[in-house]
């Protein structure tokens, strides 16, 4: 079995032999050969079946029936059934039988209650999308009876997706993306007062994608086996496709954000979300997606990175080592990866680490199951009419594979959260009394559960208690819930809605004004500013007198010491036309080291009309000339254009006249090399550094380093162009936020100085040789039919090249990292040490590396 391409032995065997190996292997239209797939040590992959596309289609779902036969679905066709092949055997087309039921376009399959439940998401609209139940009408072991349980409206991707059996095996969970029209439910654990809650004018996607899709976005439902009882459990997702329960009975899903938004401040990587009762994960239209520091959303368990989520399964029942039996396996279709997510309790929720388990190129993985018969994992590739195949993963190593215990084990905080979540169902007479003590709990998920329990109650039951609460922490959290429950977002207002209670809005603002900044924790300060925003959205802009008081309350805190608080303060003060926000905002914009921070300040200031001088306006519009060379997703340049257009509209006739020459100036478009050189402007070659020299300096300790110096070097070295760090940076290289937990100073230096020695498995480029003799190198980012699309420019995620599979002679992993060597040669030793400290600290200014 081929070893993972990330192992150091690749570097040692030499580049020429590798290139010869992949160039000499003929590439055809069969399923991806196992020679082009890497798996963790000790595991083995078998290609069991290349699906004849013209007859059996392209497979997207797998499930097991009550006899452990595998059922599969063709994305644009019907269902098929077969037995898992014996060890060392493959599957023949004659082994695959078509299920006679008249059904098509399944995006979710579940065998339960002696039936096959099917979630239909028909792109071609030949069958109504929705939930169906298939049964055997005459006992001949053939599923022939089709019963529609509920029709649903969905379009394209992000539609009606997975079906998951509840842990108690009494109900079914349904996962839907944000292109599914919400259905009427019998009840909802999520308060149905959702809104966009944009304080500043909405900016929808620049290319027109999903401009009409608003909250609540993707929803997870719980339904009864007969399909008659429906409950909303969680909302605020974009493109969730599948999910799974762990041994504790907790549900997790894998969500994707908008890849068009790469390198913008509102972009959020694909991520693992813990689906707790009443949870909301913040997807909103366009620029309005809620960052994870917003108090009115929940944070992910793990940020994954760029990708296209498909199947999810836990490893329970696999004949794998214990670590992998416990793992959550998630499938990434476009980047061709199966990750093992290793979760661990963290307060009342979980944290986790991702590990690349399987990767291939191309490997459009769609679904995976664990087969109880042989303890193997079976996974399929396919979707969007690309070549499909079925694979089996078995453990062949020497580790123990004894079954692990799946007995639930919840810690004290998780049990408290569950107790509060029980108040989300039905009407509990003591809900307010039981939940109120926990609305300022330091555990975010416990706090959320308590607030949702209260927010579901009639407003008149808890409004006065909120406004009169003396504890600042409790009051500020309850006020945010009150603003949502008592107000109405204008995007969701219906003609039948009662008039807005403006008196309540004024009371909320007055209560906020009485709060003292020093009495609040950092998280409660976020909540204070965010509550001001939501209250002004839901109850309209305050009077000039009240607006002035709010400005006075917040202006002394702006600028803050961190970007997240400056994000909230800048847009709030700009909305209120604070007289100092132009000067302070432009100072932040010009000093910010990342394009995300700069872009956010530019967005917040775009409609501001007061407080400008000619010099400030000039600095602002000069920024757009600089930003023309920034890179991002497909909508990135359109968003920059939208911001500038709004800014021009906000100019007075006199300002427009004074700035005419600047406004007419066209940006100079530069190459990536020129942009990098500009970032290092004024710097000259220092030294061709040797590993031993720098490693010795780093190993002697990184104490007393300069935080701002390290942050500056991270930007100057072009690191943000490719690497995610915190909530900023590119997506074409590994996320460096957690480097301190993975690398010693020596190891990190080695990664920087010798990038091809050990390439991170998530970002191994693909080397493609065409039959014409032309070669390409890049990352496979999309597949459609027989077309393969690669991102060929590390510094521009929107630079893509498409080729037809029939034109490809060979395809395989490249042994050469796209990261250039020599990045440290224009830095002094002390600057390199500051850079290492900055990365290894995770950008934490309070880290011991920076103590005086």
């Amino acid at each position: 079995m081929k070893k993972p391409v990330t192992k150091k032995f690749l570097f040692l065997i030499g580049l020429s032999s590798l290139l010869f190996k992949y160039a000499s292997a003929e590439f055809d239209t069969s399923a991806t050969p196992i020679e082009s797939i890497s798996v963790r040590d000790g595991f083995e992959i078998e290609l069991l079946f290349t699906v004849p596309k013209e007859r059996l289609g392209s497979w997207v779902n797998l499930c097991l029936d009550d006899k452990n036969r595998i059922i599969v679905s063709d994305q644009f066709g019907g269902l098929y059934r077969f037995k898992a092949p014996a060890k060392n055997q493959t599957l023949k087309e004659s082994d695959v039988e078509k299920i006679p039921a008249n059904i098509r376009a399944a995006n979710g399959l579940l065998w339960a209650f002696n039936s096959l439940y099917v979630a239909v998401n028909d792109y071609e609209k030949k069958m109504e999308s929705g939930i169906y139940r298939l049964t055997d009408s005459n006992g001949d072991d053939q599923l022939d009876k089709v019963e529609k349980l509920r029709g649903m409206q969905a379009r394209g991707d992000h539609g009606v997706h997975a079906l998951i059996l509840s842990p108690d095996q009494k109900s079914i969970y349904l996962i839907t993306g944000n292109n599914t029209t919400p259905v009427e439910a019998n009840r909802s654990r999520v308060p149905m007062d959702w809104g966009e809650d944009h304080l500043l004018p909405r900016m929808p996607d620049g290319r027109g994608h999903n401009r009409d899709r608003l909250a609540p976005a993707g929803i997870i439902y719980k339904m009864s086996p007969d399909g008659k009882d429906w409950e909303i459990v969680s909302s605020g997702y974009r493109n969730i496709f599948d999910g799974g329960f762990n041994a504790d009975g907790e549900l997790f899903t894998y969500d994707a954000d908008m890849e068009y938004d790469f390198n913008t401040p509102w972009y959020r990587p694909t991520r693992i979300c813990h689906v707790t009762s009443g949870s909301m994960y913040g997807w909103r239209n366009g620029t309005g997606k809620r960052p994870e520091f917003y108090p009115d959303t929940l944070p992910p368990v793990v940020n994954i990175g760029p990708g296209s989520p498909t199947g999810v399964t836990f490893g329970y029942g696999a004949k794998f080592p214990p670590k992998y039996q416990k793992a959550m396996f998630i499938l990434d279709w476009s980047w061709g990866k199966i990750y093992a997510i290793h979760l661990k309790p963290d307060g009342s929720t979980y944290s986790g680490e991702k590990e690349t388990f399987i990767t291939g190129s191309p490997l459009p993985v769609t679904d995976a199951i664990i087969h109880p018969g042989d303890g193997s994992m079976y996974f399929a590739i396919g979707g969007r009419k690309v070549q499909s195949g079925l694979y089996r993963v078995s453990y062949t190593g020497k580790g123990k594979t004894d079954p692990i215990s799946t007995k639930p084990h919840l810690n004290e905080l998780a049990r408290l959260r569950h107790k509060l979540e029980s108040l989300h169902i039905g009407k509990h007479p003591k809900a307010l009394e039981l939940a109120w003590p926990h609305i300022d709990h330091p555990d975010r998920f416990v706090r959320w559960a308590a607030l949702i329990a209260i927010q579901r109650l009639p407003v008149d039951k808890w409004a006065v208690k909120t406004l009169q609460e003396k504890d600042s922490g409790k009051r500020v959290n309850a006020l945010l819930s009150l603003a949502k429950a008592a107000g109405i977002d204008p995007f969701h207002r219906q003609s039948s809605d009662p008039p807005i209670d403006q008196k309540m809005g004024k009371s909320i603002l007055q209560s906020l004004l009485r709060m003292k900044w020093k009495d609040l924790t950092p998280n409660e300060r976020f909540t204070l500013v965010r509550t001001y925003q939501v209250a002004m959205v839901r109850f309209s802009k305050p009077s000039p007198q009240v607006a002035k008081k709010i400005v006075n309350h917040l202006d002394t805190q702006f600028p803050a010491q961190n970007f997240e608080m400056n994000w909230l303060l800048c847009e709030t003060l700009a909305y209120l036309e604070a007289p100092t926000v132009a000067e302070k905002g432009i100072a932040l914009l010009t000093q910010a080291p990342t394009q995300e921070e700069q872009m956010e300040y530019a967005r917040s200031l775009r409609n501001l009309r007061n407080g400008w001088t000619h010099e400030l306006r000039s600095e602002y519009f000069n920024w757009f000339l600089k930003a023309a060379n920034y890179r991002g997703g497909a909508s990135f340049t359109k968003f920059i254009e939208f911001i500038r257009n709004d800014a021009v509209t906000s100019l007075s006739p006199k300002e427009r006249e004074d700035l005419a020459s600047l406004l007419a100036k066209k940006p100079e478009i530069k190459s990536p090399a020129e942009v990098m050189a500009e970032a290092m402007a004024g710097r000259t070659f220092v030294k061709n550094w040797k590993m031993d020299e720098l490693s010795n300096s780093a190993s002697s300790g990184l104490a007393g380093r300069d935080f701002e110096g390290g942050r500056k070097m991270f930007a100057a070295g072009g690191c943000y162009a490719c690497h995610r760090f915190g909530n900023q940076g590119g997506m074409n290289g590994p996320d460096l936020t957690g480097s301190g937990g993975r690398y010693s100073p020596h190891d990190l230096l080695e990664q920087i100085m010798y990038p091809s020695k050990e390439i991170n498995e998530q970002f191994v480029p693909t080397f493609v040789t065409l039959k014409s003799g032309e070669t390409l190198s890049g990352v496979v980012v999309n597949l459609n039919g027989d077309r393969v699309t690669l991102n060929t420019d590390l510094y521009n995620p929107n630079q893509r090249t498409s080729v037809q599979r029939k034109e490809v002679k060979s395809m395989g992993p490249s042994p050469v990292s796209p990261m250039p060597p020599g990045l440290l040669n224009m830095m002094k030793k002390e600057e390199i040490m500051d850079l290492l400290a900055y990365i290894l600290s995770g950008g934490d200014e309070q880290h011991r590396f920076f103590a005086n």
Side-chain angles (χ1 to χ4, degrees), residues 633-694:
S635 295
F636 185 87
T637 55
K638 293 298 292 182
F639 279 124
I640 295 288
E641 178 186 330
F642 288 170
I643 294 171
R644 188 181 187 278
N645 288 345
D646 285 351
V648 170
T649 300
S650 72
L651 294 172
S652 68
K654 178 67 167 57
E655 287 175 317
R656 195 170 301 201
E657 180 181 346
D658 292 344
L659 295 167
S661 60
L662 177 56
L663 295 177
K665 191 174 182 180
K666 301 297 182 183
E668 179 186 353
I669 305 302
K670 302 172 184 177
S671 69
E674 289 173 320
V675 173
M676 183 71 73
E678 190 175 87
M680 301 289 282
R683 308 187 68 82
T684 58
F685 175 82
V686 174
K687 186 176 181 178
N688 185 13
W689 291 105
K690 301 299 182 184
M691 180 68 195
D692 289 347
E693 183 177 2
L694 293 178

Side-chain angles (χ1 to χ4, degrees), residues 412-424 428 434 438 449 453:
E412 184 178 348
L413 283 174
R415 290 196 296 272
L416 172 59
R417 173 173 56 80
H418 278 245
K419 182 178 179 180
L420 292 167
E421 288 172 349
S422 69
L423 305 176
H424 301 172
H428 197 293
L434 294 171
H438 305 289

Side-chain angles (χ1 to χ4, degrees), residues 212-520:
D212 62 335
R213 307 312 291 188
L214 302 177
I219 295 176
I220 297 178
Y221 300 92
K222 182 181 180 182
M223 70 175 193
S224 60
D226 61 6
K228 295 180 179 179
D229 187 84
W230 285 61
E231 179 181 37
I232 296 174
V233 174
S234 181
S235 71
Y237 304 94
R238 180 175 177 266
N239 190 21
I240 44 176
F241 188 84
D242 201 354
F245 286 95
N246 72 354
D248 295 333
E250 303 281 359
L251 179 60
F252 299 85
T253 190
Y254 179 26
D255 195 15
D257 215 331
M258 184 69 170
E259 61 271 18
Y260 288 1
D261 292 348
F262 282 164
N263 293 68
T264 67
W266 51 88
Y267 172 72
R268 304 178 306 182
T270 67
R271 57 211 195 131
I272 305 300
C273 299
H274 182 190
V275 186
T276 57
S277 174
S279 54
M280 202 287 298
Y281 275 92
W283 187 89
R284 292 297 183 265
N285 190 280
T287 60
K289 292 184 288 294
R290 296 176 188 171
E292 60 186 74
F293 68 84
Y294 267 30
D296 49 340
T297 188
L298 283 170
V301 171
V302 186
N303 279 321
I304 302 300
S308 181
T310 47
V312 172
T313 190
F314 275 88
Y316 305 124
K319 291 183 179 177
F320 291 176
K323 174 181 178 180
Y324 296 101
Q325 291 185 51
K326 297 176 184 177
M328 175 186 180
F329 293 97
I330 62 171
L331 281 65
D332 175 357
W333 185 84
S334 61
W335 289 63
K337 302 181 190 301
I338 299 179
Y339 295 101
I341 307 300
H342 304 292
L343 300 170
K344 60 180 180 180
D346 187 356
S348 74
T349 181
Y350 297 78
S351 58
E353 295 182 357
K354 68 177 182 181
E355 173 190 13
T356 301
F357 183 65
I358 292 171
T359 183
S361 186
L363 196 71
V365 286
T366 54
D367 204 2
I369 57 173
I370 303 298
H371 198 291
D374 57 16
S376 299
M377 172 190 287
Y378 289 76
F379 72 88
I381 65 171
R384 292 190 181 175
K385 300 183 178 180
V386 304
Q387 179 58 55
S388 196
L390 180 72
Y391 300 80
R392 177 164 56 200
V393 184
S394 305
Y395 182 66
T396 57
K398 297 180 180 180
K400 293 183 178 180
T401 60
D402 297 337
I404 62 170
S405 170
T406 55
K407 182 179 179 181
H409 180 72
L410 295 171
N411 62 30
E412 184 178 348
L413 283 174
R415 290 196 296 272
L416 172 59
R417 173 173 56 80
H418 278 245
K419 182 178 179 180
L420 292 167
E421 288 172 349
S422 69
L423 305 176
H424 301 172
I425 304 170
K427 296 181 180 180
H428 197 293
K430 293 186 177 181
L432 182 61
E433 176 185 338
L434 294 171
W436 196 265
H438 305 289
I439 61 174
D440 62 342
H441 198 285
D443 184 288
R444 191 165 175 179
F445 281 74
V446 170
R447 184 167 71 245
W448 183 278
L451 287 165
I452 293 300
I454 292 169
Q455 198 170 323
R456 295 175 68 253
L457 301 173
V459 170
D460 60 6
K461 300 291 186 184
W462 55 283
V464 172
K465 183 176 179 64
T466 296
L467 295 168
Q468 295 179 350
E469 174 62 55
K470 289 182 170 53
D471 183 281
S472 297
K474 285 184 168 59
R475 179 151 56 99
V476 74
N477 282 297
L479 284 171
L480 179 55
S481 289
L482 183 59
K484 290 176 179 286
I488 299 175
D489 186 301
F491 284 108
H492 291 266
R493 183 165 180 79
Q494 305 292 324
S495 58
S496 58
D497 288 331
I500 297 175
D501 184 356
Q502 294 294 352
K503 184 177 178 181
M504 178 66 76
K506 293 177 182 178
S507 296
I508 291 172
L509 293 179
Q510 290 299 327
S511 186
L512 292 169
L513 285 167
R514 292 194 299 272
M515 308 201 77
K516 296 179 180 180
W517 193 268
K518 66 180 180 61
D519 293 339
L520 302 173

Side-chain angles (χ1 to χ4, degrees), residues 514-682:
R514 292 194 299 272
M515 308 201 77
K516 296 179 180 180
W517 193 268
K518 66 180 180 61
D519 293 339
L520 302 173
T521 67
N523 285 331
E524 289 164 356
R525 292 169 184 171
F526 283 136
T527 305
L528 171 71
V529 185
R530 180 61 180 153
T531 306
Y532 270 128
Q533 291 189 343
V534 174
M536 291 187 286
V537 170
R538 300 277 180 131
F539 296 97
S540 74
K541 196 167 187 174
S543 68
Q545 294 82 4
V546 174
K548 185 177 180 180
K549 291 180 180 179
I550 299 172
V551 168
N552 291 337
H553 195 196
L554 300 180
D555 189 53
T556 54
Q557 310 304 328
F558 181 62
Q561 292 186 341
N562 60 77
F563 169 54
E564 291 79 10
M565 182 56 76
N566 283 330
W567 175 328
L568 282 172
L569 288 171
C570 190
E571 63 182 359
T572 305
L573 291 168
Y575 173 79
L576 294 169
E577 294 286 341
T580 65
V581 71
E583 181 180 1
K584 292 180 178 181
I586 291 297
L588 287 169
L589 184 149
T590 56
Q591 295 167 15
T594 72
Q595 68 182 47
E596 286 91 345
E597 291 183 53
Q598 296 172 27
M599 195 173 183
E600 180 55 37
Y601 297 133
R603 183 181 75 93
S604 290
L605 297 172
R606 75 189 196 276
N607 300 114
L608 180 68
R609 296 180 182 272
N610 296 327
W612 293 100
T613 63
H614 179 76
E615 290 72 21
L616 290 173
R617 283 292 197 190
S618 296
E619 284 190 84
Y620 184 51
F621 282 102
N622 269 312
W623 177 82
F624 291 101
L625 299 176
K626 177 182 177 182
N629 285 290
Y630 290 165
R631 297 291 180 264
S635 295
F636 185 87
T637 55
K638 293 298 292 182
F639 279 124
I640 295 288
E641 178 186 330
F642 288 170
I643 294 171
R644 188 181 187 278
N645 288 345
D646 285 351
V648 170
T649 300
S650 72
L651 294 172
S652 68
K654 178 67 167 57
E655 287 175 317
R656 195 170 301 201
E657 180 181 346
D658 292 344
L659 295 167
S661 60
L662 177 56
L663 295 177
K665 191 174 182 180
K666 301 297 182 183
E668 179 186 353
I669 305 302
K670 302 172 184 177
S671 69
E674 289 173 320
V675 173
M676 183 71 73
E678 190 175 87
M680 301 289 282

